[in-house]
Amino acid sequence: MARPSSNLTMFHEDFAKAKHIAIITGAGVSAESGVPTFRGQGGYWRKWQAQDLATPEAFSRDPSLVWEFYHYRREVMRSKMPNPAHLAIAECESRLSKQGRSVVIITQNIDELHHRAGSKHVYEIHGSLFKTRCISCGEVKANHKSPICPALEGKGEPDPSSKDARIPVEHLPRCDRRGCNGLLRPHVVWFGETLDSDILTAVEQELEKCDLCLVVGTSSVVYPAAMFAPQVAGRGVPVAEFNMECTPATMRFKYHFEGPCGVTLPPALERHESEAI
């Protein structure tokens, strides 16, 4: 199997011909904005790793602790900004839409940085830190309050010596739908949960019609997203990977551009002479 190319001129030729571009993004894009990934060595909040807290069982057992963790993550995001990779994707989407071409972003990230960068056509397959879901009535709602409820103000300090807040469940975020008042949970896909079938179906339709696919800042090990780009490559569509290192899927792709996405992606997506005005 031939090694993927890192020839930007060749990539631009495929880019110029593409009518519908799918961009799959993962934690590596957000990491360049300073967003903690909670993966690998040092990926702890207090003494916990994300997989210890991001489960339905953990929330059922200790909703106060889980909400402290997510409150901390929400507050951290208030100081983080989209980086050049997010901005390049948003600019590309806007520019190509004026040429009758389309860009769709399929992200595993829950931080909404693509939206803040200006992207419009975004599928958040793992949900969002800034949406809640009521465990009683099921209502999903955007929520950008800071703090999300009074009892969580000043809570969520990640230091291992920090004491758990032990907030009574009635003081945790509650549903404001008339007559409900159910306990809210973060609208994110936790370990052991399945992805939203409607979103997955929509994503599959986007991937079936794309004629160029970019994989940006993702390790290609988290399923089902890990199979998206290989499936596209399997039907002969060019796939370009932008990542800090090779991944298990790299050899299936036509292109591989190594380095920080904020450095490698902008020159790949910028306007060039072959584009229509």
Side-chain angles (χ1 to χ4, degrees), residues 78-108:
R78 293 171 66 78
S79 67
K80 307 303 180 188
M81 300 299 292
N83 64 56
H86 295 108
L87 297 171
I89 290 169
E91 192 280 330
C92 176
E93 179 188 2
S94 173
R95 187 179 83 240
L96 265 56
S97 70
K98 295 169 186 153
Q99 301 172 16
R101 303 159 73 195
S102 58
V103 173
V104 60
I105 297 99
I106 300 160
T107 187
Q108 297 164 264

Side-chain angles (χ1 to χ4, degrees), residues 190-263:
W190 282 333
F191 293 95
E193 294 183 325
T194 55
L195 273 58
D196 184 298
S197 59
D198 291 340
I199 291 178
L200 264 186
T201 299
V203 164
E204 284 164 5
Q205 290 170 348
E206 298 285 357
L207 294 172
E208 280 167 14
K209 67 182 182 182
C210 80
D211 49 7
L212 177 66
C213 179
L214 277 59
V215 182
V216 184
T218 175
S219 58
S220 294
V221 295
V222 177
Y223 285 82
M227 282 310 300
F228 291 163
Q231 285 169 353
V232 170
R235 59 182 179 85
V237 171
V239 176
E241 182 180 54
F242 296 80
N243 212 354
M244 289 295 290
E245 57 199 4
C246 290
T247 70
T250 299
M251 294 303 291
R252 303 194 195 190
F253 302 149
K254 184 172 180 179
Y255 300 101
H256 175 78
F257 298 97
E258 196 156 308
C261 308
V263 173

Side-chain angles (χ1 to χ4, degrees), residues 35-49:
V35 178
T37 63
F38 299 103
R39 287 188 174 277
Q41 195 169 13
Y44 283 83
W45 176 81
R46 294 185 187 166
K47 61 181 180 180
W48 310 96
Q49 285 193 299

Side-chain angles (χ1 to χ4, degrees), residues 1-275:
M1 191 181 288
R3 289 192 65 80
S5 169
S6 57
N7 186 315
L8 202 54
T9 302
M10 275 177 56
F11 170 80
H12 278 151
E13 289 172 4
D14 281 327
F15 179 84
K17 292 182 285 191
K19 300 293 185 196
H20 185 63
I21 301 171
I23 303 179
I24 302 166
T25 70
V29 180
S30 294
E32 289 181 35
S33 288
V35 178
T37 63
F38 299 103
R39 287 188 174 277
Q41 195 169 13
Y44 283 83
W45 176 81
R46 294 185 187 166
K47 61 181 180 180
W48 310 96
Q49 285 193 299
Q51 56 264 41
D52 298 322
L53 299 174
T55 70
E57 294 78 16
F59 189 71
S60 178
R61 185 169 58 246
D62 195 343
S64 173
L65 182 67
V66 173
W67 260 121
E68 274 200 88
F69 174 55
Y70 280 94
H71 172 67
Y72 165 72
R73 295 178 71 178
R74 285 165 58 98
E75 293 301 302
V76 163
M77 283 311 306
R78 293 171 66 78
S79 67
K80 307 303 180 188
M81 300 299 292
N83 64 56
H86 295 108
L87 297 171
I89 290 169
E91 192 280 330
C92 176
E93 179 188 2
S94 173
R95 187 179 83 240
L96 265 56
S97 70
K98 295 169 186 153
Q99 301 172 16
R101 303 159 73 195
S102 58
V103 173
V104 60
I105 297 99
I106 300 160
T107 187
Q108 297 164 264
N109 301 332
I110 61 174
D111 50 45
E112 295 194 357
L113 285 175
H114 283 299
H115 290 291
R116 286 171 56 190
S119 290
K120 306 286 188 238
H121 196 186
V122 183
Y123 289 99
E124 296 167 319
I125 63 171
H126 291 159
S128 167
L129 277 173
F130 299 98
K131 288 180 181 167
T132 57
R133 184 163 82 245
C134 176
I135 65 172
S136 295
C137 74
E139 183 180 49
V140 174
K141 203 170 181 180
N143 186 313
H144 291 85
K145 292 179 189 170
S146 174
I148 189 169
C149 68
L152 279 164
E153 185 165 11
K155 303 296 191 292
E157 177 60 44
D159 191 286
S161 63
S162 299
K163 295 279 191 292
D164 296 347
R166 301 288 174 207
I167 298 167
V169 70
E170 61 270 20
H171 294 156
L172 291 172
R174 312 296 298 196
C175 182
D176 60 7
R177 196 175 189 176
R178 193 170 195 171
C180 182
N181 197 41
L183 177 64
L184 298 179
R185 57 162 278 180
H187 184 57
V188 296
V189 179
W190 282 333
F191 293 95
E193 294 183 325
T194 55
L195 273 58
D196 184 298
S197 59
D198 291 340
I199 291 178
L200 264 186
T201 299
V203 164
E204 284 164 5
Q205 290 170 348
E206 298 285 357
L207 294 172
E208 280 167 14
K209 67 182 182 182
C210 80
D211 49 7
L212 177 66
C213 179
L214 277 59
V215 182
V216 184
T218 175
S219 58
S220 294
V221 295
V222 177
Y223 285 82
M227 282 310 300
F228 291 163
Q231 285 169 353
V232 170
R235 59 182 179 85
V237 171
V239 176
E241 182 180 54
F242 296 80
N243 212 354
M244 289 295 290
E245 57 199 4
C246 290
T247 70
T250 299
M251 294 303 291
R252 303 194 195 190
F253 302 149
K254 184 172 180 179
Y255 300 101
H256 175 78
F257 298 97
E258 196 156 308
C261 308
V263 173
T264 59
L265 197 60
L269 296 185
E270 68 187 4
R271 180 191 292 277
H272 53 95
E273 66 274 5
S274 62
E275 285 186 48

